[in-house]
């Protein structure tokens, strides 16, 4: 009788152990790298938040105080209130640049250092070898020969506060066809839009007929502007140049005029210049002073070509309105465009 023998089976348990060890090592490496990668992402987010807050605080303080150093101090203070990788972010004056913002032909805004009208602040937040706080250490990186990383982030904030001189025609022709009432409604629309914007616009009001008069110096209380116009009546000739000169004097020399605010004149007429200094002479002075003139013509008797030329010579725009509703639309459009905040 033959005995049947069992064939030996292959036991692969021993062969799997080395593979399992490799897998465990790979998982450990992935886990440790994941911790450091997460730390890097979190740190970059904290750095961006701190730098953004620093730049915003700087332009807010500078616009409010009209003082460059106040903006720099605010940037340093707010940065230090934000932690980056467990430490308050240290920003020095060397990390802060104050200037303005400009739009190129492609519609892109860029920061320009310096300038006479300071509206923008650029802050460089960094945790690098040469920064006061040093680079950010990694938890497991040293196991792989990497001890730290050096994030940096630059943020630019712009606050386009604007001083605006309203120069309105109250000559005799404005008494016809409900024109004066339409102007009053357009003025109210303009001021209401400004009140709804986040920027801080200050406004003065001048009127002209045979002569020119300043009814309200530059103020942040727009109700004062409304109330000043309510006492006006239409009479006299059309001295556009004198009116424009009154507006320019207001925006440059009123006691509340701000050196760091952008400056615009809104010049409105329903007729033709017929007395006093030529408005083109004053427009040149506006251009030399960096003051933009936006012009509005109302009804068919106004000289649209001349007012277009005045606006063009200062980098402004010209609007024409044929009726009261179009006049309100023009004032609303101008108010919204003047309130645009530049962002790099």
């Amino acid at each position: 009788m033959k005995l049947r023998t069992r064939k030996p089976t292959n036991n692969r348990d021993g062969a799997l152990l080395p593979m399992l060890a490799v897998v465990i090592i790979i998982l450990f490496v992935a886990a440790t790298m994941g911790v450091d990668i997460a730390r890097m992402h979190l740190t970059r987010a904290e750095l961006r938040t701190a730098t953004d807050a620093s730049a915003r605080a700087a332009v807010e303080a500078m616009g409010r105080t009209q003082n460059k150093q106040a903006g720099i101090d605010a940037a340093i203070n707010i940065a230090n209130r934000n932690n980056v990788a467990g430490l308050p972010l240290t920003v020095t004056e060397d990390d802060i640049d104050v200037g303005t913002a400009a739009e190129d032909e492609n519609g892109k805004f860029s920061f320009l250092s310096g300038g006479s009208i300071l509206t923008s602040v650029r802050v460089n937040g960094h945790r690098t070898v040469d920064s006061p706080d040093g680079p950010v250490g990694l938890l497991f990186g040293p196991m792989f020969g990497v001890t730290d990383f050096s994030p940096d982030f630059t943020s630019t904030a712009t606050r386009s506060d604007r001083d605006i001189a309203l120069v309105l025609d109250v000559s005799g022709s404005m008494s016809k066809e409900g024109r004066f009432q339409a102007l009053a409604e357009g003025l109210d629309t303009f001021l209401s839009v400004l009140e709804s914007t986040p920027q801080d616009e200050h406004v003065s009001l001048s009127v002209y007929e045979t002569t020119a008069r300043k009814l309200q110096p530059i103020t942040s209380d727009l109700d004062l502007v409304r109330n000043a116009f309510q006492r006006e009546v239409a009479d006299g000739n059309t001295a556009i140049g004198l009116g424009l000169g009154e507006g320019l004097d207001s925006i440059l020399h009123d006691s509340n005029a701000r050196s760091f605010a952008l400056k615009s004149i809104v010049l409105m007429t329903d007729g033709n210049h017929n007395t006093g200094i030529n408005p083109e002479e004053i427009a040149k002075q506006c251009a030399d002073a960096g003051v933009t003139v936006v012009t509005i013509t109302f009804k068919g008797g106004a000289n649209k070509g001349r007012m277009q030329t005045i606006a063009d010579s200062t980098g402004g725009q010209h609007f024409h309105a044929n009726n009261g509703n179009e006049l309100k639309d023009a004032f609303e459009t101008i108010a919204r465009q003047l309130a645009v905040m530049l962002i790099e």
Side-chain angles (χ1 to χ4, degrees), residues 100-104 108-112 120 122 156 343-344:
T100 187
E103 183 180 8
D104 63 22
K108 181 180 179 181
F109 294 106
S110 59
F111 175 80
L112 300 176
S120 307
R122 169 178 280 173
T156 303
I343 300 175
E344 183 180 11

Side-chain angles (χ1 to χ4, degrees), residues 167-169 171 207-212 237-247 265 267-280 282-283 293 295-297 301-303 306-307 310:
V167 180
L168 307 180
D169 187 347
S171 61
V207 296
Y208 65 92
E209 16 88 10
T210 304
T211 60
N237 295 322
T238 308
I240 296 177
L242 292 178
L244 186 56
E246 193 70 43
I265 297 174
L267 173 65
M268 173 271 167
T269 184
D270 78 327
N272 284 274
H273 170 76
N274 55 28
T275 188
I277 188 171
N278 286 331
E280 288 83 1
I282 307 299
V293 180
T295 59
I296 306 173
T297 48
N303 191 332
R306 191 171 196 175
M307 297 296 276
I310 291 171

Side-chain angles (χ1 to χ4, degrees), residues 2-118:
K2 291 185 177 181
L3 296 176
R4 299 178 62 187
T5 60
R6 295 181 61 188
K7 294 181 178 180
T9 59
N10 292 328
N11 189 341
R12 299 183 180 180
D13 292 345
L16 290 175
L17 289 177
M19 184 179 298
L20 182 60
V22 171
V23 170
I24 291 174
I25 292 173
I26 292 174
L27 291 175
F28 175 75
V29 171
T32 55
M33 290 180 62
V35 171
D36 276 341
I37 289 173
R39 177 175 172 80
M40 293 168 68
H41 282 301
L42 176 61
T43 300
R44 288 193 180 98
E46 290 177 338
L47 183 60
R48 177 171 186 166
T49 297
T51 308
D52 284 349
S54 176
R56 287 196 300 267
V59 293
E60 188 281 328
M62 196 168 65
R64 174 168 39 83
T65 65
Q66 296 295 288
N67 184 280
K68 176 181 176 180
Q69 189 60 48
I72 293 173
D73 292 343
I76 293 172
N77 178 265
I78 293 302
N80 196 247
R81 294 186 184 186
N82 286 266
N83 283 349
V84 177
L87 293 176
L89 178 64
T90 301
V91 168
T92 69
E93 292 200 16
D94 291 338
D95 299 318
I96 302 168
D97 196 3
V98 180
T100 187
E103 183 180 8
D104 63 22
E105 59 184 10
N106 298 317
K108 181 180 179 181
F109 294 106
S110 59
F111 175 80
L112 300 176
S113 180
S116 58
I117 300 177
L118 303 177

Side-chain angles (χ1 to χ4, degrees), residues 34-317:
V35 171
D36 276 341
I37 289 173
R39 177 175 172 80
M40 293 168 68
H41 282 301
L42 176 61
T43 300
R44 288 193 180 98
E46 290 177 338
L47 183 60
R48 177 171 186 166
T49 297
T51 308
D52 284 349
S54 176
R56 287 196 300 267
V59 293
E60 188 281 328
M62 196 168 65
R64 174 168 39 83
T65 65
Q66 296 295 288
N67 184 280
K68 176 181 176 180
Q69 189 60 48
I72 293 173
D73 292 343
I76 293 172
N77 178 265
I78 293 302
N80 196 247
R81 294 186 184 186
N82 286 266
N83 283 349
V84 177
L87 293 176
L89 178 64
T90 301
V91 168
T92 69
E93 292 200 16
D94 291 338
D95 299 318
I96 302 168
D97 196 3
V98 180
T100 187
E103 183 180 8
D104 63 22
E105 59 184 10
N106 298 317
K108 181 180 179 181
F109 294 106
S110 59
F111 175 80
L112 300 176
S113 180
S116 58
I117 300 177
L118 303 177
T119 63
S120 307
V121 176
R122 169 178 280 173
V123 177
N124 180 29
H126 52 120
R127 287 290 306 271
T128 57
V129 175
D130 58 350
S131 70
D133 303 324
V136 179
L138 297 175
L139 299 176
F140 297 101
M143 297 173 57
F144 309 101
V146 182
T147 59
D148 53 56
F149 79 110
S150 302
D152 64 84
F153 187 82
T154 299
S155 178
T156 303
T158 298
R159 177 184 172 113
S160 55
D161 295 338
R162 189 175 291 269
D163 285 352
I164 303 168
L166 287 171
V167 180
L168 307 180
D169 187 347
V170 293
S171 61
S173 59
M174 286 295 295
S175 64
K176 304 175 182 177
E177 304 169 351
R179 298 182 185 187
F180 203 80
Q181 179 61 32
L183 177 58
E185 293 174 359
L187 172 62
D188 185 67
T189 297
F190 181 83
L191 298 176
S192 296
V193 172
L194 293 186
E195 289 169 336
S196 70
T197 64
Q199 290 79 27
D200 186 18
E201 295 95 354
H202 293 187
V203 179
S204 71
L205 175 62
S206 299
V207 296
Y208 65 92
E209 16 88 10
T210 304
T211 60
R213 293 169 284 119
K214 185 189 302 181
L215 302 183
Q216 174 60 53
I218 287 179
T219 178
S220 60
D221 186 349
L222 302 189
D223 281 335
L224 293 177
V225 179
R226 287 188 180 91
N227 295 337
F229 190 72
Q230 290 177 358
R231 299 186 291 270
E232 283 301 300
V233 295
D235 191 25
N237 295 322
T238 308
I240 296 177
L242 292 178
L244 186 56
E246 193 70 43
L248 179 61
D249 178 76
S250 174
I251 211 165
L252 294 180
H253 302 128
D254 278 1
S255 60
N256 289 331
R258 299 171 295 176
S259 58
F260 289 177
L262 301 176
K263 300 181 183 299
S264 299
I265 297 174
V266 179
L267 173 65
M268 173 271 167
T269 184
D270 78 327
N272 284 274
H273 170 76
N274 55 28
T275 188
I277 188 171
N278 286 331
E280 288 83 1
E281 295 183 35
I282 307 299
K284 184 180 185 305
Q285 296 176 28
C286 292
D288 292 342
V291 177
T292 301
V293 180
V294 179
T295 59
I296 306 173
T297 48
F298 186 34
K299 297 289 187 177
N303 191 332
K304 292 187 286 185
R306 191 171 196 175
M307 297 296 276
Q308 177 77 64
T309 299
I310 291 171
D312 290 343
S313 68
T314 66
Q317 291 180 277

